[in-house]
Amino acid sequence: MNVNEQMAMICPKCFSDTGEYNKLKQDLISQNKIILEISEEQAAANATDYIVVNANNLRYILMNKSSFEILSHDQTKALLAYGNLVLVDLSSFYEYNRTRLVDMLTLIN
C-alpha cells in the first residue's frame, strides 16, 4: 500500500489477529481510503505489486501483468476507477530475480 494514496489493498486472512486487522481497517476508513480486500491467494501472488505515479494532474497505476490477472472483476473496476492503468510484464524478470515492481522502482529512485 502506498501510504500517500487513497487506495489500500489488504488481506483480512493474512492477519493472525483479527483485532489488529479491524483496527487497521478502521484507521484506513477514518482516512477516507478506498479499501480493496484481497484473498490469501492474491496476496501470495503479489496482487499488491503496483505503484501509483501522479503526473500532469493524472494518476497512473503501474502494475505487474501477473498481479493484475489475479484480481477479480470488481477489484479491476476499482483500480480503473482510481487511475489510468499501465501493465508491465515482468515475468522474465521475476524468474531471474524475484524482485517485485514496487521494490524495483524504489531501487531506481
Side-chain angles (χ1 to χ4, degrees):
M1 166 179 62
N2 185 334
V3 242
N4 296 323
E5 289 302 323
Q6 288 304 111
M7 184 176 58
M9 282 187 185
I10 51 176
C11 172
K13 293 193 177 187
C14 294
F15 284 77
S16 56
D17 181 350
T18 55
E20 285 299 314
Y21 169 75
N22 290 329
K23 183 179 171 185
L24 172 63
K25 186 173 180 178
Q26 288 307 309
D27 184 41
L28 294 171
I29 289 170
S30 72
Q31 296 176 49
N32 295 317
K33 300 270 188 188
I34 299 164
I35 300 171
L36 295 181
E37 291 187 343
I38 60 173
S39 68
E40 289 174 289
E41 295 79 17
Q42 289 172 317
N46 291 325
T48 60
D49 192 12
Y50 70 93
I51 191 163
V52 177
V53 176
N54 294 297
N56 300 323
N57 298 319
L58 294 173
R59 184 181 294 139
Y60 296 93
I61 304 166
L62 281 70
M63 182 174 234
N64 182 32
K65 183 179 174 217
S66 63
S67 300
F68 176 76
E69 290 171 346
I70 192 98
L71 298 177
S72 71
H73 179 71
D74 288 339
Q75 291 164 332
T76 300
K77 279 177 50 177
L79 275 178
L80 292 172
Y82 188 68
N84 299 298
L85 191 59
V86 178
L87 296 180
V88 182
D89 186 0
L90 297 176
S91 55
S92 298
F93 190 75
Y94 271 10
E95 289 175 23
Y96 172 72
N97 194 343
R98 300 272 181 219
T99 302
R100 297 175 64 224
L101 173 65
V102 172
D103 300 329
M104 185 172 49
L105 289 175
T106 302
L107 289 173
I108 292 170
N109 289 325

